[in-house]
Amino acid sequence: MTVTPELPATSREWHLASRPVGWPKPEDFALVEAEVEQPGPGQVLVRNKYLSVDPYMRGRMSAAKSYVAPFELGKVMQGGAVGEVVASEAEGIAVGDHLLHFFGWREYAVVDAKHAVKVGPAAVPALKVDPDAVPLSTYLGVLGMTGLTAYAGLLRTASFKEGDSVFVSGAAGAVGSQVGQIAKLKGASRVIGSAGSDEKVKLLVEEYGFDAAFNYKNGPVSQQLREAAPDGVDVYFDNVGGDHLEAAIGSLNRDGRIAVCGMISVYNSTEPVPGPKNLSRLIQTRGRIEGFLVNDHADLQPQFVQEVGAWVASGELKYRETVVEGIENNLEAFFGVLRGDNTGKMIVKL
């Protein structure tokens, strides 16, 4: 086994202590010290450098049946992470290499280099990445699962085509900001975004190139969308649900498509949330609503990396990250995602 010297005996990691009801509370979690395990045959030990926190993690904190198994009580949680290999028993992976994997919420992780982790209906493999090609953190965001979510949801699920008018909710977030920019790069006639602050609205228009944007806190979403898209929308990329989804249905053009990526507005609800009151409008518009999971579209990964990687390298596609430092602040970073504090991808730097 190749190993770097002076590895610590313990590593800090976040456990789920109790299942949150409504908004998660600090007492639902515990930061604990755990022994740093040594890798077995075919495994590596990774010192995590960047961790991802994402809205979907709220669903895994519930025991309700879903597309992915819930986090186990009293055990370390999971999430995207990228880090440096500090001990290796795996052929083809050396100390000093960097891996993208799914064992976040901890400082050190033993990763099976050959077998993928089952996450939902698909498997997520560990992937060796190049720290010199792009900043390491981008493998968790613009060039990672977040970016592929935007790419697959817009181009495949929503069947985007040149000339479409596109509305994106949560547009200043990691996924939404990329959806809007890809739509513009692919020839959208108009791209509209919603966000939760005037500062974010300005960012969408001035930096990301959206044609229009509005602060959903400044008035009814349906009214603001009609003003921003007087000719209606052909595609709605939904990250929010609730009043945004209802507004999009109200503004949907003939043969319009809605891709449902997430519904962050209802994740912490303790009572059943009513659906849109205007679903019957889909009959008039011949509209379509379809949910999707990024894991179902792994076949797009090579195409995505090639196309989006070139846009990132050329500066045509811009991205932002909100960086929180320290494993001790991992939980607060997650709370920040639920509150909408982040601009772009929320990253925890260790």
Side-chain angles (χ1 to χ4, degrees), residues 46-125:
V46 179
R47 178 169 54 225
N48 287 332
K49 290 189 172 183
Y50 294 95
L51 308 176
S52 177
V53 287
D54 303 280
Y56 80 88
M57 294 174 175
R58 176 61 184 88
R60 295 197 68 186
M61 295 169 188
S62 168
K65 186 176 180 180
S66 183
Y67 65 91
V68 61
F71 292 133
E72 295 185 57
L73 290 177
K75 294 189 178 181
V76 62
M77 295 183 289
Q78 294 178 333
V82 63
E84 182 180 1
V85 175
V86 294
S88 177
E89 287 279 9
E91 185 178 349
I93 299 181
V95 168
D97 285 343
H98 289 77
L99 283 189
L100 173 66
H101 60 90
F102 208 71
F103 292 99
W105 289 84
R106 70 200 84 185
E107 292 177 305
Y108 285 81
V110 172
V111 179
D112 192 318
K114 292 185 178 180
H115 298 94
V117 180
K118 186 73 173 175
V119 182
V124 179

Side-chain angles (χ1 to χ4, degrees), residues 129-136 138-139 143 313:
V129 296
D130 184 356
D132 298 321
V134 293
L136 269 180
T138 61
Y139 291 111
L143 292 178

Side-chain angles (χ1 to χ4, degrees), residues 217-239:
K217 298 176 182 177
N218 287 347
V221 174
S222 58
Q223 179 182 333
Q224 293 195 77
L225 179 57
R226 283 194 299 270
E227 293 171 355
D231 296 324
V233 296
D234 302 301
V235 168
Y236 170 49
F237 193 103
D238 190 18
N239 291 305

Side-chain angles (χ1 to χ4, degrees), residues 37-302:
E37 300 178 9
Q38 294 302 315
Q43 295 181 328
V44 297
L45 177 64
V46 179
R47 178 169 54 225
N48 287 332
K49 290 189 172 183
Y50 294 95
L51 308 176
S52 177
V53 287
D54 303 280
Y56 80 88
M57 294 174 175
R58 176 61 184 88
R60 295 197 68 186
M61 295 169 188
S62 168
K65 186 176 180 180
S66 183
Y67 65 91
V68 61
F71 292 133
E72 295 185 57
L73 290 177
K75 294 189 178 181
V76 62
M77 295 183 289
Q78 294 178 333
V82 63
E84 182 180 1
V85 175
V86 294
S88 177
E89 287 279 9
E91 185 178 349
I93 299 181
V95 168
D97 285 343
H98 289 77
L99 283 189
L100 173 66
H101 60 90
F102 208 71
F103 292 99
W105 289 84
R106 70 200 84 185
E107 292 177 305
Y108 285 81
V110 172
V111 179
D112 192 318
K114 292 185 178 180
H115 298 94
V117 180
K118 186 73 173 175
V119 182
V124 179
L127 179 68
K128 191 157 68 170
V129 296
D130 184 356
D132 298 321
V134 293
L136 269 180
S137 58
T138 61
Y139 291 111
L140 296 175
V142 65
L143 292 178
M145 185 177 69
T146 300
L148 182 58
T149 299
Y151 190 85
L154 176 68
L155 301 183
R156 178 175 282 174
T157 306
S159 304
F160 170 85
K161 61 183 183 298
E162 186 176 355
D164 278 344
S165 174
V166 178
F167 171 43
V168 188
S169 58
V175 173
S177 60
Q178 202 155 340
V179 170
Q181 291 184 82
I182 292 173
K184 290 294 291 183
L185 287 163
K186 289 283 191 179
S189 62
R190 188 168 177 80
V191 175
I192 305 100
S194 72
S197 73
D198 293 340
E199 181 182 6
K200 289 180 179 180
V201 167
K202 183 178 180 181
L203 171 72
L204 291 176
V205 175
E206 296 185 359
E207 184 168 331
Y208 293 152
F210 283 57
D211 296 289
F214 60 85
N215 182 346
Y216 66 84
K217 298 176 182 177
N218 287 347
V221 174
S222 58
Q223 179 182 333
Q224 293 195 77
L225 179 57
R226 283 194 299 270
E227 293 171 355
D231 296 324
V233 296
D234 302 301
V235 168
Y236 170 49
F237 193 103
D238 190 18
N239 291 305
V240 174
D243 56 353
H244 282 72
L245 178 56
E246 187 167 297
I249 294 171
S251 287
L252 203 63
N253 289 332
R254 168 73 186 264
D255 298 317
R257 291 87 66 201
I258 295 175
V260 180
C261 175
M263 293 191 174
I264 196 169
S265 69
V266 303
Y267 286 168
N268 296 307
S269 300
T270 57
E271 299 293 333
V273 178
K277 297 189 293 292
N278 58 349
L279 281 173
S280 62
R281 196 168 184 280
L282 294 175
I283 302 170
Q284 306 162 25
T285 61
R286 291 71 155 178
R288 169 169 62 86
I289 298 180
E290 183 177 345
F292 74 99
L293 296 174
V294 65
N295 290 342
D296 295 334
H297 303 283
D299 62 297
L300 288 176
Q301 181 78 22

